Structure formats: C-alpha cells, structure tokens
Amino acid sequence: MSYPSTLDSRGLRNWATRAVGELAHRRDEINALNVFPVPDSDTGSNMAHTMEAAVAELDNGGDVADALALGAVRGARGNSGMVLSQVLRGVAESTVESVIDGSVFARSLQQAVELVDRAIAEPVEGTVITVLQAAAEAADDAAAQSSATLHSIVSAAIAAARTALERTPSQLPALREAGVVDAGGAGLVILLESLLAEIEGSTGRTGVLEPETDTELEVVFFFEGDIDALQTAIAPLGDSLVIARATENSANVHIHSFQAGAVIETAFAKGKATNLHIEALPAHVDPAAENSVARRVFAAAPAGPITDLLESAGVTVVPPDAPLAVEEDDIVLSTGLSMETDAGRVVPAQSLAAALAAISVYEPDNPDTVAVVAAMRDAAKSMRVAYPSQETLPSIIATCRDLLAEGGEQATILSALDIDEEDLAQQLRVDVVALKVPDIATEIGVE
C-alpha cells in the first residue's frame, strides 16, 4: 500500500487534532500510570491540556508548525507536557512551510532530544525522555536507508518507542513497584501513533495501551462554515448534540462522543473550528437499569437562547414566580426564582452564568444525588461574575480583563449586544462563549 511521502500544513493540523482527541480520550488511563516523580495522577491531563493549547494557537493564524509549537510551549503543563511541547518545537525548527517528510520528521525528533536535554538538568532513565531518545535514534537509522519513506520512518520510531516504554519498569524502581510503564512515555507513543494514523488515513484506534472501556468525552468548539453539513456528519458520532447558532454560518457546538478524534477531524474538514475544549465525562449508566435516576432539575430563565440551552441539557425551565412541585431529590437552581424554596436540593446560583456553570457539570445518570449537587454548587460558586458599567463592547472587554486578572480559562458573556467570540477570544487569550439574550443587562462570568 502506498502512503503520502509528505504531510502539508493541513496534514500537520490534522495530526495535532487527532492527538488532542486521543490524549483526551485516554486521559484517565495515562493519569492512572502516573507514579513518578510524584503519584499525582495528572500526566494524562497535562499532556492533553498541552496539546489542546497547541491546537488553540492555530486560531491566531500564521505558520501551522510555528503556531503549534508556540501554543504547546505556552500551555505546557508538567514535565511530560514540556517534553511534548519540545517535540512540536523540533518540528517547527526542522520544517519549511509546515511540510513534513521522512527526513524532516527524523530531524525534528533529534532536535527535540537536544531541546529537552537543555531544558532538564538531570534527566532520569526510564521516563518519557528515554522513550523520546529511542524514537529519535530509530527514526535517524531508518532515514539513512535508501528505501526510506515518511511512513517507514514514523513506523520505526513508534516501534522503538513502544519497546522503550515496555522497558521503563526495569529502569525505574517506582514504576517496577507499581507495576506500570511510564505515563509520559505512554503519552508520547500516543502522539506518534496519531501521526501514523494521519499518514495512513486511519479512523480507528491503535496503541499499546488500548483501554478496556471507552471514555465518553464532552467536545465543545466554535464552528464557522456549513452548519447543516456539520450536523449531518457528526450527529452519528455521539449524543447530546447542541448547536447554538450565532449566525447562519457560525455556531457553538456541543456533543458527547466516544469518538472525539473523529468529531474534531470532521469539524476541521467541514469548516473552521476554534475555541476547542474537551473534558472526560463520568461513566455512562444505562437509564433503563433498575437504579436509573428519576430526579429532575428546575430553573427560571428568560425565553430565548438561555432557555433553549438549559432545556437541551434536560432542565425544566419555569416562570420566575411559578410554584414548584418538587420531590426530595429534585434539584432547583435558585437563579431567577422570585420566591424562595426549601424543597428539593437547592443549588444557589446568583447569576445566569453561575447557573450555566452548574448545569455544565450536572451528571443526569449519576445516582449519587448528594455528590451531584455538591459538584454543581462548587461550579456555581467558582464562577466569578461581574456586570460592565456600560452596555458597550469596550466596557465588556474591560470587565473581562478585570475578572481574568485573578485567573481563568473561559469567559461566558450573556448580552443583548452582538459579540464576536473569536475576536474577543484572541484579545483576551482565553476561550469565550457569548450568548445573545434580548433585553438583558450584560453579565460576564469567568471560571
């Protein structure tokens, strides 16, 4: 079978989005391997976040390889995220106009090794660094063969990386005692496997650490293009699909899927996808089972986009002054209610933004109502909310900056004004979700 001899900027972008999907999909699996240098179970999360930051930087335009490297370096978390960022930096420093062939790939891994050696004063054998070195050496040897191709060189690097990963327990006592391989090395193998999958045009999952059970992911992004075509293409890939249109050709898209990589690839293929965010969802419980959850969630909200969004998430929206007939385990979001209630489980939410934050973590199939309510209360409480002094875009931006000065990864804006999410996200350097709500005083929440 013949494979492409090069990947252009589009192929590089696709590789990155595949890697985002795979690392996010297997985040918990990699976290479970994390026992060195400290057992803080965050390597999978760190690598997924680093790759998400790399892809997010693509929204700012420019050379694809440079953007991926810049985003990864800026967003790198932990040692493993730093190593991943240096691989992308190696690619950026080895390619011209974001085109990768076999020799460029081999050179980029060697460059990454040199960059990591400079960054880490005392490298430890049996970690992701060992796996990277093995992959780089194998790629270099394969590139020296007269019959070398991009596919053969990447395949050789993956084979060597897998072998090195399998040997890590024999090199590091902490791994041997726990009976696991190195978590960062596992993430690096997934990154390389995503590249091979892009070269082969594969849509299936491969890997040395295939999880026993799939993890469902929440995928959220802003899309510009043919929305109807996107909906037709991704609807079969998951459920809980919500497409909140900003215009006829742009929308905020939300879907739960076991095929996050395929969703992301489809979005990039159908148009422009920005503000990408991925989170692992709790394990699915069959609602038809005997212990299915019968509770309901109530909230008051103005008619329009907010009500549509809440109802799409399974919330029963009521008028502010409506009497509530609730059961003991029903959940009531206090936002907008003109009368107090002590019935059910109340989630204090002093703003619509806080209510949206609470419902974003609601687990409808989790039978532990106490835990569900606690998570919703924490989410609502963590949403910092402010109101601009004037109903103008400059005042909104200033208020956002004031809130973000204390930290935050996303700004949620509810306003009667037209807000360009993409433009504002570029100015604020965080994800922005803006909903147009008629006849409302602008409300801004940061989390």
Side-chain angles (χ1 to χ4, degrees):
M1 183 178 295
S2 62
Y3 298 107
S5 59
T6 63
L7 285 184
D8 59 11
S9 59
R10 184 177 184 84
L12 185 56
R13 177 190 290 265
N14 289 345
W15 169 31
T17 55
R18 279 180 184 267
V20 167
E22 287 299 311
L23 288 168
H25 176 84
R26 299 166 72 174
R27 182 195 321 248
D28 292 343
E29 172 194 351
I30 301 173
N31 282 343
L33 300 173
N34 184 197
V35 298
F36 181 86
V38 290
D40 48 8
S41 301
D42 64 355
T43 294
S45 299
N46 288 343
M47 298 187 86
H49 177 85
T50 300
M51 206 65 208
E52 287 173 20
V55 171
E57 187 64 30
L58 294 172
D59 299 347
N60 296 324
D63 181 85
V64 171
D66 288 343
L68 289 173
L70 179 61
V73 170
R74 285 179 172 173
R77 288 185 180 176
N79 287 344
S80 55
M82 185 280 295
V83 172
L84 186 153
S85 74
Q86 297 308 292
V87 172
L88 294 182
R89 185 180 165 196
V91 171
E93 294 185 2
S94 302
T95 185
V96 177
E97 296 183 352
S98 298
V99 175
I100 299 178
D101 60 15
S103 61
V104 167
F105 172 72
R107 189 162 61 249
S108 67
L109 290 186
Q110 290 290 346
Q111 180 72 356
V113 170
E114 294 175 10
L115 292 168
V116 170
D117 284 344
R118 270 186 257 159
I120 300 179
E122 298 180 1
V124 177
E125 188 178 24
T127 64
V128 60
I129 302 171
T130 305
V131 178
L132 174 60
Q133 289 171 335
E137 291 171 5
D140 201 43
D141 290 343
Q145 302 298 316
S146 59
S147 59
T149 64
L150 175 61
H151 183 272
S152 68
I153 295 171
V154 174
S155 297
I158 291 173
R162 288 173 176 167
T163 299
L165 179 64
E166 291 168 2
R167 291 175 178 168
T168 54
S170 67
Q171 299 167 318
L172 202 55
L175 301 179
R176 183 167 58 252
E177 292 171 8
V180 298
V181 297
D182 179 68
L188 178 62
V189 169
I190 291 171
L191 178 70
L192 297 176
E193 288 175 343
S194 298
L195 175 58
L196 186 63
E198 178 60 29
I199 295 168
E200 294 180 343
S202 169
T203 58
R205 286 197 159 82
T206 60
V208 300
L209 298 170
E210 194 66 25
E212 294 180 1
T213 58
D214 282 344
T215 300
E216 190 174 21
L217 299 175
E218 177 187 56
V219 184
V220 181
F221 57 91
F222 190 77
F223 178 78
E224 295 174 81
D226 189 332
I227 298 174
D228 292 335
L230 176 72
Q231 181 172 353
T232 300
I234 68 172
L237 299 177
D239 55 27
S240 300
L241 176 61
V242 178
I243 298 180
R245 293 179 183 246
T247 68
E248 285 304 306
N249 299 309
S250 64
N252 207 56
V253 181
H254 167 284
I255 187 171
H256 294 175
S257 177
F258 290 98
Q259 305 175 65
V263 170
I264 297 166
E265 292 163 26
T266 301
F268 275 93
K270 295 292 183 183
K272 183 179 181 182
T274 58
N275 291 351
L276 177 66
H277 185 69
I278 300 175
E279 288 292 339
L281 294 169
H284 178 70
V285 177
D286 184 359
E290 292 184 357
N291 63 346
S292 60
V293 180
R295 64 169 177 259
R296 297 164 296 172
V297 180
F298 293 90
I306 299 296
T307 290
D308 293 343
L309 189 61
L310 290 172
E311 289 181 340
S312 71
V315 177
T316 300
V317 180
V318 298
D321 56 353
L324 295 177
V326 300
E327 303 294 334
E328 180 181 355
D329 279 347
D330 287 341
I331 298 172
V332 179
L333 291 165
S334 64
T335 310
L337 292 175
S338 59
M339 59 182 69
E340 294 186 0
T341 178
D342 55 5
R345 310 294 182 100
V346 177
V347 175
Q350 303 306 315
S351 64
L352 286 172
L356 293 178
I359 202 62
S360 72
V361 300
Y362 175 58
E363 303 174 36
D365 296 326
N366 186 343
D368 189 346
T369 300
V370 173
V372 169
V373 171
M376 294 177 72
R377 287 172 176 168
D378 285 346
K381 186 177 180 180
S382 67
M383 178 69 81
R384 304 193 309 277
V385 178
Y387 303 87
S389 59
Q390 298 178 318
E391 292 295 313
T392 64
L393 184 57
S395 184
I396 290 173
I397 294 174
T399 304
C400 286
R401 293 191 190 281
D402 289 343
L403 285 170
L404 289 168
E406 300 178 26
E409 296 181 352
Q410 177 175 296
T412 300
I413 303 172
L414 311 177
S415 177
L417 302 179
D418 290 317
I419 306 292
D420 186 326
E421 286 183 323
E422 183 177 0
D423 179 67
L424 190 53
Q426 290 180 0
Q427 293 188 53
L428 300 177
R429 309 293 292 177
V430 297
D431 291 342
V432 172
V433 175
L435 290 177
K436 186 173 183 178
V437 184
D439 303 320
I440 187 176
T442 297
E443 180 178 300
I444 302 169
V446 165
E447 54 183 324

